[in-house]
Amino acid sequence: MRRLCWLLIFPVFLAGCASTGEPHPNVSILKAQCVRWHESGAYAAAVERAAEPARAALESQLREKTRGNRAVVFDIDETLLSNWPYLNAQQFVLQLDTFAKWIRTGNGLPLAPTKEIYERAREHAIPIFLVTGRPQFLRAATIRDLKEAGYSGWSGLYMKPATYKDPSIIPFKSGVRRMLTEKGYDIILNVGDQKSDLAGGYARRAVKLPNPFYFIP
C-alpha cells in the first residue's frame, strides 16, 4: 500500500544500554501522550500562542502606509484545517488512500487562530495563496474541504504535482513562493506547521505552528 512521505515525529532517545540501542520510550506511549495533549486542550492553546506572532506581523503590515503588492501564504493541513479525527483514528499512520478518503468527506476542522488571520487578510484585500503538499488529484476535494470549513476568496491554490519526485517538499513550496515573488508579490507572512513549509525563504515573516503528530521532510 502506497504511503505518503509523512513520518511520525516523536522524541526518540537511545536507551542507556549501549548493547541493544533500543529506542525509548515506546511508540505506543508517545502516541497516548499526543492524544492526551490534544484532548486536554493543550494543543489548541499551543496553536493560539504560536499564531500570535503571525497575527502581530499581519497587523504591523496593515499599519504600514506604503503597502505595495502584499500577499500571505498558508499551508493547509494542521495550519488552516485540523485532521484530528483522521489522525486519531489512524493512530498517526498516514496513508495516501485513507487520507484521500478522509479529505473527500469534507470534515476537516478549521483552526480558529489561523482562520482569524486568514479572514483579517481578506478584509484588507490582501491576496492569499495556499501552498500544500496534498497531491494535485485531490484538488476538487480540497476545494470542497476548505469551503465546508468556511474558507473562501483565496487567490491561488498550489498543490503537489503528480510529476513531483523530490523526497522533500521544500523545493516545491519554496519554488511557489519564489514564483510569486518573481510575479511581483511581497509575501509578508508565511504560516505552516512544518519546518519544510517555511524553509527556503521568499517571505518576510515565517511562523510555525505546533504539530507533533507527523513530520514532512
Side-chain angles (χ1 to χ4, degrees):
M1 186 174 291
R2 184 180 174 190
R3 291 176 180 267
L4 290 172
C5 59
W6 293 4
L7 309 176
L8 294 177
I9 183 167
F10 295 115
V12 177
F13 306 97
L14 290 180
C17 180
S19 63
T20 64
E22 180 184 0
H24 180 79
N26 186 282
V27 170
S28 62
I29 295 173
L30 291 168
K31 290 181 180 181
Q33 289 175 347
C34 281
V35 171
R36 287 196 298 270
W37 187 64
H38 185 281
E39 294 185 349
S40 71
Y43 169 68
V47 172
E48 178 64 41
R49 288 193 300 272
E52 185 54 39
R55 187 180 296 109
L58 178 60
E59 293 300 326
S60 176
Q61 284 296 318
L62 294 179
R63 292 192 292 269
E64 290 286 334
K65 293 181 179 179
T66 304
R67 299 185 175 183
N69 195 19
R70 302 174 300 181
V72 175
V73 170
F74 289 97
D75 171 53
I76 294 178
D77 296 300
E78 278 52 68
T79 298
L80 292 179
L81 294 176
S82 168
N83 299 297
W84 178 251
Y86 168 79
L87 294 172
N88 193 19
Q90 289 288 113
Q91 295 199 8
F92 310 106
V93 178
L94 280 76
Q95 297 174 306
L96 183 56
D97 57 347
T98 60
F99 186 61
K101 184 177 180 180
W102 159 253
I103 290 173
R104 291 183 177 116
T105 68
N107 289 328
L109 306 172
L111 283 165
T114 43
K115 188 173 184 183
E116 178 186 334
I117 296 166
Y118 182 103
E119 294 299 339
R120 184 73 169 148
R122 279 199 66 204
E123 287 173 8
H124 289 267
I126 296 175
I128 296 170
F129 295 96
L130 310 182
V131 186
T132 176
R134 291 185 179 193
Q136 178 66 32
F137 76 85
L138 287 172
R139 173 172 290 272
T142 293
I143 291 172
R144 287 195 301 271
D145 201 16
L146 289 163
K147 289 185 175 179
E148 286 291 330
Y151 292 102
S152 62
W154 57 82
S155 296
L157 170 59
Y158 295 90
M159 306 184 72
K160 187 174 69 174
T163 56
Y164 190 77
K165 301 302 181 185
D166 198 294
S168 171
I169 201 67
I170 293 172
F172 166 63
K173 291 203 167 189
S174 62
V176 172
R177 296 195 303 274
R178 181 182 68 248
M179 178 269 294
L180 292 172
T181 300
E182 290 171 350
K183 285 186 174 182
Y185 288 103
D186 177 10
I187 300 174
I188 59 174
L189 180 62
N190 178 26
V191 184
D193 64 290
Q194 304 284 325
K195 289 183 179 180
S196 54
D197 295 332
L198 313 175
Y202 300 103
R204 286 200 192 188
R205 183 67 188 270
V207 175
K208 183 186 179 303
L209 304 178
N211 182 2
F213 312 125
Y214 58 83
F215 170 71
I216 302 177

